[in-house]
Amino acid sequence: MKRILVTGANGQIGVELVPYLRRLYGDANVLATDCRAASPEMRDSGPFDLLDVRDGKAFLDLLSRFKADTVMHLAGILSATGEANPQLAWDVNATGTFTALECARSTGAAVFFPSSIAAFGPNTPPRMTPQDTLQRPATIYGIAKVTGELLCDYYHLKYGLDTRGLRFPGLISYVALPGGGTTDYAVHIYYDAVSKGSYTSYIAKGTFMDMMYMPDALEAVVQLMEADPSRLVHRNAFNISAMSIEPEQIALEIRKHIPEFSISYEVDPVRQKIAESWPDSLDCSAARSEWGFSPKYDLASMTADMLKRVREKLARS
Ligand code: NAD
Ligand code: SER
């Protein structure tokens, strides 16, 4: 990767991935785009353009003018927001991904596609979910993610495009708030722990989902995109995860730092049903053996860092 166009750059991942890429490849070599205006930090640290990923003409124009060799296609609508507006979710997530691939086909750029644990469904084996298994998701978000994975494989097989993807678990971070997903509780719990000393979870006690701290996710994206292609048996998309956890375990870990912290539950039936349709834990052996996936943060080290960073952030605001 030398010149990278990032879509959906203002989101939870983009606000950290863009600076990370700019540090690695040079500020001028990473074009951030989003359909919403950029923050001053994003705008002032390198090139930014407005782009709605459904607008193929504008997309191709930017990609060609910037001479990007890689598209990191982050633009999307997350699972809970998607269930509230399935038509919009399909349009942005499926049509937007098809548009990104068509533009990349025209210029020969490589494509990074962020799939999700949502690409699995209620009849997928839920524990140590294999890399290759049954994928019959029950959400429009998941259906669009499977579509994206298959399209990326198709563009690789048919046109030789260098498409690569990760099935991200729930990502936990402190720079931007999550954008309307089912795993968002695992971020909100840290903010409420610091600001209120308590948290009311919309996900039920005992509901396991895979999670990962953002620094490990950023490293995984670059590791995969820089991996020797001859080692890649799979491409779209690799299971990755750093921990399989449920709300009580996070609460227990937070109590090691804030002993009075308490958790209660007001379960949201929509997000709970989505969570129950996703795996409890993923088998990440393909990512480990094909390109050396090796996350550094576990629940204890992530919790210590999240609490410190959220405390600093809230003290500044
Ligand atoms: P987010 O919701 O925080 O950000 C998405 C960004 O896309 C927003 O800035 C939004 O303005 C932009 N966007 C929406 N519609 C657009 C359009 N039509 N054109 C251009 N931009 C548009 O999402 P995120 O958490 O940063 O996730 C990025 C990608 O990673 C998504 O595809 C998501 O499905 C995937 N993913 C995220 C997670 C996670 O836990 N954050 C987990 C699995 C997969
Ligand atoms: N964090 C994402 C969501 O909950 C998983 O893809 O929607």
Side-chain angles (χ1 to χ4, degrees), residues 117 119-137 167 208 210 239 275-283:
I117 47 174
F120 300 113
N123 54 8
T124 298
R127 276 171 284 283
M128 285 303 279
T129 300
Q131 174 66 38
D132 301 307
T133 187
L134 198 58
Q135 292 182 261
R136 303 281 293 179
R167 289 183 187 131
F208 281 85
D210 285 283
N239 285 1
E276 285 172 10
S277 78
W278 292 353
D280 293 357
S281 62
L282 298 182
D283 173 359

Side-chain angles (χ1 to χ4, degrees):
M1 288 189 293
K2 290 192 180 67
R3 281 175 76 79
I4 305 159
L5 184 153
V6 181
T7 70
N10 291 343
Q12 187 196 3
I13 300 177
V15 296
E16 297 200 53
L17 184 62
V18 168
Y20 185 77
L21 294 172
R22 284 180 174 162
R23 278 196 296 277
L24 288 175
Y25 300 100
D27 291 348
N29 290 322
V30 181
L31 171 61
T33 72
D34 201 287
C35 64
R36 295 181 292 138
S39 66
E41 299 84 54
M42 177 72 78
R43 222 182 30 229
D44 296 346
S45 64
F48 179 89
D49 266 295
L50 282 172
L51 174 66
D52 186 317
V53 291
R54 295 165 294 178
D55 182 345
K57 190 172 172 304
F59 202 148
L60 183 56
D61 187 45
L62 274 183
L63 193 58
S64 312
R65 271 197 290 128
F66 191 66
K67 296 186 172 52
D69 58 30
T70 305
V71 175
M72 297 221 166
H73 180 50
L74 302 183
I77 305 293
L78 270 70
S79 57
T81 310
E83 285 311 285
N85 193 342
Q87 292 74 19
L88 175 71
W90 178 259
D91 201 23
V92 175
N93 296 0
T95 311
T97 299
F98 181 71
T99 306
L101 286 164
E102 272 297 285
C103 293
R105 182 172 71 85
S106 297
T107 67
V111 175
F112 170 75
F113 177 66
S115 190
S116 162
I117 47 174
F120 300 113
N123 54 8
T124 298
R127 276 171 284 283
M128 285 303 279
T129 300
Q131 174 66 38
D132 301 307
T133 187
L134 198 58
Q135 292 182 261
R136 303 281 293 179
T139 61
I140 191 72
Y141 176 72
I143 293 167
K145 287 300 185 196
V146 175
T147 304
E149 290 186 9
L150 294 173
L151 277 173
C152 285
D153 273 344
Y154 181 78
Y155 273 70
H156 175 63
L157 289 171
K158 187 159 178 84
Y159 301 114
L161 223 59
D162 186 2
T163 59
R164 307 182 188 193
L166 296 172
R167 289 183 187 131
F168 282 133
L171 297 180
I172 298 173
S173 68
Y174 56 85
V175 177
L177 285 168
T182 301
T183 57
D184 297 10
Y185 91 87
V187 175
H188 297 152
I189 192 170
Y190 289 103
Y191 279 82
D192 281 11
V194 170
S195 62
K196 298 196 265 187
S198 65
Y199 178 67
T200 303
S201 174
Y202 60 80
I203 291 294
K205 183 193 278 203
T207 310
F208 281 85
M209 285 185 278
D210 285 283
M211 303 278 174
M212 186 156 69
Y213 201 28
M214 190 61 85
D216 284 330
L218 304 181
E219 196 177 317
V221 172
V222 170
Q223 252 185 305
L224 171 64
M225 294 309 287
E226 295 284 9
D228 174 356
S230 68
R231 285 185 64 198
L232 300 182
V233 179
H234 299 87
R235 277 178 171 268
N236 301 286
F238 285 91
N239 285 1
I240 57 164
S241 170
M243 58 199 96
S244 160
I245 48 175
E246 56 92 24
E248 289 290 313
Q249 290 176 317
I250 308 182
L252 205 65
E253 203 54 50
I254 290 175
R255 268 187 221 112
K256 293 180 184 167
H257 305 264
I258 308 174
E260 65 282 9
F261 176 72
S262 65
I263 185 165
S264 58
Y265 293 88
E266 272 174 31
V267 174
D268 168 15
V270 174
R271 284 177 287 185
Q272 182 62 27
K273 194 167 166 212
I274 297 176
E276 285 172 10
S277 78
W278 292 353
D280 293 357
S281 62
L282 298 182
D283 173 359
C284 305
S285 51
R288 280 198 295 274
S289 67
E290 292 177 39
W291 49 272
F293 172 61
S294 171
K296 295 182 179 57
Y297 285 89
D298 60 10
L299 178 59
S301 51
M302 177 183 77
T303 297
D305 199 55
M306 267 302 276
L307 289 173
K308 176 174 174 281
R309 305 292 191 153
V310 170
R311 242 185 230 117
E312 289 166 359
K313 182 176 176 181
L314 295 183
R316 282 196 302 272
S317 62

